[in-house]
């Protein structure tokens, strides 16, 4: 499939989309968490489903287990508050992370939103040990305002046999 961008539209270009995603990842790596929150719409959904025993993803965050689920930005704001005030003992000391994004694909464009899919790989170092996490994210960007905002983010963690708590800065 060939991606054809509509040059008549005022929507984001592919380069703008990539720059937005790279910035969001960098803000996590640099622990600029307040700026990272600004990448998200107030009504955003942030969801990392769990894998079932049948090797399928859970499909309903309200009735099935999720690895992470926040139904709006308030949940992310609470998480950031805990990280910034060291109220998250599982995240102290902070891990050093590097995010890598690849295969960024525009799935669908609408007048006010863009659906994306991309792969990610995060290296995380803490307590003299380096771990890695990888997966695929599905993002809906709200492009109706002055700046794009993440309206929905579904994170599929491919290596879910992890030996520690996983947090927003790992993915």
């Amino acid at each position: 499939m060939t991606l054809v961008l509509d040059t008549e539209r005022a929507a984001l270009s592919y380069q703008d989309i990539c720059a937005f995603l790279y910035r969001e990842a960098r803000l996590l790596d640099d622990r600029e968490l307040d700026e990272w929150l600004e990448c998200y719409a107030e009504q955003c959904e942030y969801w990392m489903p769990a894998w079932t025993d049948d090797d399928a993803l859970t499909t309903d965050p309200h009735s099935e287990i999720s690895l992470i689920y926040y139904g709006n930005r308030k949940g992310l704001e609470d998480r950031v508050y805990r990280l910034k005030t060291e109220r998250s003992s599982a995240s102290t000391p902070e891990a050093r992370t590097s995010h890598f994004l690849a295969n960024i694909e525009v799935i669908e464009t609408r007048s006010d939103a863009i659906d994306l899919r991309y792969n990610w790989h995060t290296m995380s170092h803490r307590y003299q040990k380096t771990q890695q996490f990888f997966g695929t994210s599905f993002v809906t960007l709200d492009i109706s305002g002055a700046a794009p905002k993440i309206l929905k983010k579904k994170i599929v963690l491919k290596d879910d046999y992890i030996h520690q708590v996983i947090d927003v800065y790992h993915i």
Side-chain angles (χ1 to χ4, degrees):
M1 181 175 111
T2 302
L3 174 66
V4 178
L5 295 176
D6 182 0
T7 57
E8 300 297 316
R9 268 182 92 224
L12 295 179
S13 69
Y14 181 77
Q15 185 178 11
D16 292 337
I17 292 167
C18 291
F20 177 84
L21 294 175
Y22 294 147
R23 180 176 181 271
E24 187 220 356
R26 178 186 54 79
L27 292 171
L28 286 172
D29 289 340
D30 293 348
R31 291 297 187 269
E32 296 179 26
L33 298 174
D34 290 328
E35 291 82 0
W36 175 75
L37 278 173
E38 292 303 314
C39 296
Y40 288 83
E42 293 290 333
Q43 68 276 26
C44 72
E45 179 183 69
Y46 189 94
W47 180 36
M48 185 162 61
W51 289 95
T52 68
D53 291 340
D54 299 325
D55 205 31
L57 289 170
T58 57
T59 58
D60 184 355
H62 301 289
S63 63
E64 297 175 291
I65 293 174
S66 297
L67 297 176
I68 298 176
Y69 179 73
Y70 297 116
N72 58 49
R73 199 172 93 171
K74 293 286 185 204
L76 289 174
E77 291 171 357
D78 180 65
R79 191 70 207 130
V80 165
Y81 172 78
R82 291 175 186 276
L83 291 170
K84 289 176 59 177
T85 58
E86 298 183 356
R87 289 198 164 100
S88 172
S89 59
S91 299
T92 305
E94 291 182 342
R96 290 179 244 153
T97 60
S98 288
H99 289 74
F100 301 92
L101 307 183
N103 300 1
I104 299 169
E105 184 179 354
V106 176
I107 302 298
E108 183 177 341
T109 59
R110 296 178 296 285
S111 62
D112 60 348
I114 300 173
D115 294 328
L116 309 169
R117 172 194 169 121
Y118 61 91
N119 294 330
W120 54 268
H121 182 195
T122 303
M123 303 297 289
S124 176
H125 185 80
R126 189 171 98 149
Y127 292 126
Q128 301 177 340
K129 192 172 182 182
T130 301
Q131 296 187 328
Q132 58 182 324
F133 306 93
F134 64 94
T136 301
S137 289
F138 300 86
V139 170
T140 298
L141 283 182
D142 177 353
I143 56 170
S144 64
K149 301 278 186 181
I150 296 172
L151 193 55
K152 185 175 184 179
K153 187 171 190 177
K154 176 182 172 185
I155 304 119
V156 177
L157 178 66
K158 303 276 177 99
D159 58 340
D160 62 328
Y161 286 93
I162 53 178
H163 304 286
Q164 67 173 61
V165 174
I166 191 160
D167 211 320
V168 294
Y169 53 80
H170 290 117
I171 49 181

